[in-house]
Amino acid sequence: MSFDLSYNEALVLQGASLLGASSGVIGCFAVLRRRALTGDALSHAALPGLCLGFLIAGQASMLALLAGAAISGVLGIGIIAGLRRWTRIKDDAAIGIVLSVFTGLGVVLLSVVQGRPRGGQAGLDSFIFGKTAGMIFQDAVWITILALATLLIVVVAFKEFKLVAFDPGFARVQGWPAFAVDFVLMLLIVVAIVIGLPAAGVLMMAALLVIPGAAARFWTERLHVMLLLAGLFGMASGAAGTFLTMIFVKAPTGPTIILVASLIFLVSLLFAPRRGVMARSLERRQLRQLLAPPA
Amino acid sequence: MQEFAMDSFLTPDLVRAFWNVAVGTLGGVACSLLGCFLILKRMSLLGDAISHGVLPGIAVGVLLTGQIGGPAIVIGAMVFGVLTALLTEVLSSACKVTEDASLGVVFTSLFAAGVVVISVFLSRYDLDPSCVLLGDFTKAVLVTVDWFGFEIPRALPNLLLTLALVVAFIGLLWKELKLATFDAELSSAMGFPAWLIHYLFVALVAACSVATFETMGSILALAMLVVPPATAHLLTDRLVTMLLWAAGLAFSAALFGYLLASQWVFGCNVAGMISVVAGGQFLLALLAAPRHGLVARLVRHWRLALRIAGEEILGSLYRAEEKGQPPAAVELKEHGLSPWLVWLAFARLRRRGWIEALSSGFWRLTAAGRREAEAVVRSHRLWEAFLGQNFELPIDHLHAPATRIEHFIGPELQTELAAQLEEPHTDPHGKQIP
């Protein structure tokens, strides 16, 4: 059985794999810093900026869209932090408020954009669900550049990221610019989300940031192994999901990629050595036998 | 004739507006009432997760019965809503995944599964995943059913049922719900199983999301679960008042959201506009709420700062008088007060007639001002005497704490302190206590 990929299919395959890899890697830090849902809020918060970028730049220029999304994403994160710091609103409610109000605003702007003549061509509504199969050369180039840049930054600043991810207080005491490092980490998450939105959609970006990292956590106690595994898991989900939808044409690509990632998570959850469910129940049984009084 | 008058009054536009607002209000109020408890339990994001996680339940319901609407999808959604909460709980407690990550994994996976099921098996039905997420008010109101001779929107019976369920749940289990919300452990210890109430609650949240999905979509359902309750939380500290506020805010969001969307921004998404209005209400409350609002807090902070600065000025003038020095404002710099605050405090004291200007830069206490100043200095010196008597502090360590606390000792505490110290005449520095 041989597969002859068309040029476009190869493009989508490469884009989805790279997207999976970079968001898997950067998502590890979100998972470790217990910010898994901040990624969710962020990807929703990027929506109004995306639309404003379109309204201002006039045409679907990728740079304007990305800049708009990044600005409104950062604004959303800032509001969450501000509400948590200065009001009686708790973390969970702050995330919920930003997520729903920004999405509402995005939807309003989206319908305004689409109401304009020829606005529908922008395909802005695909930002919500993603149009992986509709990826064009320009999208793939952006994804490649930004994904590689993200990976490069993670490699270069590995030590700092590691410190801040596990013990920001200690990092501050040691004189590291913990806040700046944290901000860069956040910014990388924003970048991952923003480049992924056009291809993958809001929900899939939230999923790709959390699931590979959470799955990788089962297999190892070492950060670099976790990053590597999460990157691999993300890449595999992206590639396999895209591939599956090429065979079953009816299923949308984004959700299929998420389901592949969920499958990887499930396998990790059950079969990972030491932290997996099977390994732990085996260990518990051995312990019980060891502790059982002799008959 | 009568009928004609009715017809000309009830234009199609007005009827449509009425149903839009009614549908938005019913769903919004049901969600907001439940959301109050979510906010207080700090579980708002569970609402997000449930409103996404019910999608496979809806899909399975449609798949089995072949129709959109009806009890099947509500039951399917409730099952999957509970499943979302249960899976999250199992992942985070038994499998050592952090709570936020387990929530994220569970609901995105379930939602993706729902979308795939819908697009593979249910493509012939009028069930669009983007409609589930975003809602389509106008369309939902146009699809009507016949109900005892009245033409009503298809979504209405489910919405009414859900609201009735929510109100009944809160009304009947009021005490238990309150206890389980504020102190789950006490509730379990007293024999009301908090987990059971929690899962009943989760099932209701799921029912709400499904009843609202075709009108509002899960995003607006989330907005109504979180935003009006959070706004109400800023406005009051009582649970009943909070519930009433939340319901009222949900209604006004639906009303003004629809008006804005239909009158002002033509043809924009009504559900989106309602959540934007809810966000605007939140912002307003954040700024202007009487106790927890930012403006109120700023004003309180300011008045305290102004009072402290005024008392510092009175105290310094009194001490300077005691020593027979010409008093000047310069001394106040020691207290770390900013110049403009000192300037404002001077103006305030002068307006109250407690100080009067002598010549350039010099001030004198009036008779009324001297009484006020005596109270401040008395507090200060009584506290020094109290510290000197009860704690082994070096004598030069008494002044600083007394400077801080002198502003917070009222007349009652002064009397108590004086009684305990047996009406002292001097402080440890040998200065007279006024």
Side-chain angles (χ1 to χ4, degrees):
Chain A
M1 200 169 165
S2 76
F3 293 103
D4 291 317
L5 291 177
S6 72
Y7 165 74
N8 197 48
E9 283 169 335
L11 202 70
V12 172
L13 204 57
Q14 185 214 338
S17 320
L18 265 177
L19 200 59
S22 72
S23 35
V25 169
I26 200 68
C28 283
F29 293 105
V31 169
L32 288 173
R33 294 240 41 203
R34 318 216 156 178
R35 282 203 191 123
L37 292 169
T38 312
D40 184 27
L42 199 62
S43 54
H44 283 86
L47 203 56
L50 216 57
C51 303
L52 275 182
F54 175 80
L55 278 177
I56 292 169
Q59 57 188 8
S61 117
M62 195 67 176
L63 201 62
L65 295 184
L66 295 186
I71 289 169
S72 75
V74 169
L75 187 69
I77 292 300
I79 292 176
I80 291 176
L83 285 179
R84 184 167 44 195
R85 168 82 179 73
W86 286 302
T87 71
R88 76 189 313 214
I89 300 298
K90 303 294 179 308
D91 218 6
D92 62 310
I95 294 178
I97 289 168
V98 166
L99 199 158
S100 53
V101 174
F102 272 62
T103 314
L105 190 62
V107 169
V108 166
L109 289 173
L110 207 64
S111 51
V112 170
V113 169
Q114 281 170 339
R116 283 155 42 118
R118 282 147 53 87
Q121 288 176 0
L124 275 175
D125 61 337
S126 70
F127 285 128
I128 293 171
F129 284 103
K131 256 205 176 65
T132 322
M135 204 181 285
I136 57 167
F137 180 71
Q138 195 194 16
D139 300 342
V141 169
W142 274 108
I143 289 174
T144 311
I145 292 173
L146 289 173
L148 290 179
T150 303
L151 294 180
L152 191 70
I153 292 174
V154 170
V155 170
V156 169
F158 181 71
K159 192 174 59 180
E160 287 79 3
F161 284 173
K162 190 174 172 180
L163 191 58
V164 169
F166 287 105
D167 199 341
F170 180 70
R172 223 174 355 258
V173 171
Q174 287 281 299
W176 290 97
F179 182 79
V181 174
D182 214 14
F183 188 75
V184 171
L185 262 178
M186 216 56 173
L187 214 61
L188 286 183
I189 296 179
V190 173
V191 168
I193 286 172
V194 164
I195 56 168
L197 274 181
V202 167
L203 198 84
M204 193 179 111
M205 281 323 295
L208 273 184
L209 279 171
V210 183
I211 301 180
R217 184 70 188 88
F218 281 110
W219 297 91
T220 175
E221 308 276 340
R222 307 212 53 89
L223 181 62
H224 55 103
V225 183
M226 181 178 165
L227 290 176
L228 216 62
L229 275 178
L232 275 177
F233 289 165
M235 188 185 269
S237 324
T242 315
F243 214 66
L244 277 176
T245 46
M246 284 172 187
I247 304 169
F248 303 109
V249 186
K250 261 167 89 181
T253 315
T256 313
I257 293 176
I258 301 181
L259 283 187
V260 174
S262 317
L263 196 69
I264 294 176
F265 178 83
L266 199 65
V267 169
S268 311
L269 170 76
L270 293 176
F271 303 115
R274 298 198 50 210
R275 287 175 69 95
V277 170
M278 302 255 292
R280 287 207 346 218
S281 72
L282 203 69
E283 197 181 323
R284 248 199 312 271
R285 183 187 287 174
Q286 283 168 352
L287 191 67
R288 208 177 296 136
Q289 278 171 357
L290 197 70
L291 295 176
Chain B
M1 192 64 204
Q2 184 78 24
E3 217 173 304
F4 173 74
M6 280 297 281
D7 273 356
S8 65
F9 177 65
L10 286 174
T11 59
D13 275 353
L14 201 64
V15 172
R16 200 166 55 240
F18 172 76
W19 284 127
N20 268 301
V21 175
V23 160
T25 305
L26 287 176
V29 169
C31 287
S32 300
L33 290 178
L34 287 180
C36 286
F37 295 96
L38 276 179
I39 291 268
L40 293 171
K41 286 164 122 170
R42 304 188 185 178
M43 284 184 172
S44 306
L45 292 172
L46 189 60
D48 180 25
I50 292 171
S51 62
H52 284 88
V54 294
L55 191 61
I58 296 173
V60 170
V62 176
L63 202 61
L64 291 181
T65 62
Q67 57 174 338
I68 305 170
I73 62 167
V74 179
I75 293 170
M78 282 166 105
V79 169
F80 270 85
V82 172
L83 198 66
T84 307
L86 207 64
L87 282 177
T88 309
E89 181 101 21
V90 168
L91 271 187
S92 64
S93 63
C95 305
K96 290 188 171 179
V97 183
T98 55
E99 214 166 307
D100 59 330
S102 31
L103 211 57
V105 171
V106 170
F107 89 83
T108 51
S109 304
L110 284 177
F111 190 79
V115 173
V116 168
V117 168
I118 286 176
S119 48
V120 173
F121 298 108
L122 299 173
S123 47
R124 67 205 155 91
Y125 290 103
D126 173 29
L127 190 67
D128 181 7
S130 82
C131 178
V132 173
L133 202 60
L134 305 174
D136 195 342
F137 254 84
T138 358
K139 207 174 91 191
V141 171
L142 286 180
V143 183
T144 55
V145 290
D146 190 66
W147 200 53
F148 301 120
F150 291 101
E151 210 185 347
I152 57 162
R154 187 177 65 191
L156 200 69
N158 268 354
L159 282 173
L160 277 173
L161 186 69
T162 314
L163 183 60
L165 269 178
V166 168
V167 172
F169 175 72
I170 294 175
L172 290 177
L173 290 176
W174 175 249
K175 259 191 312 204
E176 291 79 1
L177 196 57
K178 209 165 154 181
L179 192 59
T181 302
F182 288 108
D183 198 338
E185 275 143 35
L186 180 66
S187 160
S188 294
M190 285 172 71
F192 302 112
W195 65 268
L196 184 65
I197 295 174
H198 177 65
Y199 279 105
L200 273 177
F201 181 78
V202 164
L204 267 183
V205 173
C208 268
S209 350
V210 72
T212 52
F213 91 96
E214 69 173 328
T215 51
M216 317 204 296
S218 59
I219 292 301
L220 181 57
L222 175 65
M224 288 292 125
L225 275 172
V226 180
V227 185
T231 315
H233 193 41
L234 289 173
L235 293 171
T236 175
D237 290 330
R238 311 233 18 115
L239 184 57
V240 180
T241 327
M242 184 173 164
L243 288 170
L244 292 175
W245 263 116
L249 288 165
F251 165 68
S252 75
L255 180 65
F256 290 110
Y258 176 74
L259 285 180
L260 273 179
S262 60
Q263 304 295 322
W264 181 50
V265 192
F266 288 104
C268 86
N269 184 295
V270 177
M273 193 49 111
I274 292 178
S275 43
V276 172
V277 170
Q281 288 174 342
F282 176 79
L283 192 67
L284 207 64
L286 190 66
L287 292 175
R291 272 197 62 208
H292 302 290
L294 292 180
V295 172
R297 275 170 48 184
L298 212 62
V299 167
R300 272 206 304 278
H301 182 90
W302 248 67
R303 286 168 66 161
L304 183 65
L306 212 58
R307 182 169 71 80
I308 288 177
E311 287 179 359
E312 293 290 345
I313 294 170
L314 290 176
S316 332
L317 288 176
Y318 185 87
R319 289 191 184 91
E321 229 172 55
E322 219 175 28
K323 288 183 203 149
Q325 288 171 352
V330 191
E331 284 179 48
L332 291 167
K333 291 243 170 75
E334 285 172 29
H335 298 295
L337 299 170
S338 63
W340 57 272
L341 190 65
V342 170
W343 185 85
L344 276 177
F346 264 108
R348 186 160 170 264
L349 292 176
R350 201 176 173 191
R351 206 176 56 240
R352 294 200 167 177
W354 289 351
I355 55 173
E356 54 196 8
L358 286 177
S359 56
S360 56
F362 290 94
W363 299 82
R364 191 172 66 187
L365 290 168
T366 62
R370 193 164 296 112
R371 275 198 299 281
E372 294 293 323
E374 268 171 10
V376 176
V377 175
R378 182 173 162 80
S379 290
H380 183 98
R381 290 185 182 162
L382 276 174
W383 190 255
E384 283 186 342
F386 178 76
L387 284 183
Q389 188 174 334
N390 292 296
F391 299 95
E392 303 219 340
L393 284 171
I395 200 155
D396 57 343
H397 278 53
L398 300 177
H399 180 73
T403 305
R404 276 198 295 278
I405 208 143
E406 64 186 16
H407 308 289
F408 301 100
I409 296 180
E412 286 150 33
L413 197 55
Q414 271 184 13
T415 321
E416 295 278 329
L417 280 172
Q420 188 178 357
L421 297 168
E422 289 155 0
E423 306 294 337
H425 296 293
T426 55
D427 71 359
H429 303 290
K431 288 184 180 151
Q432 198 175 6
I433 296 177

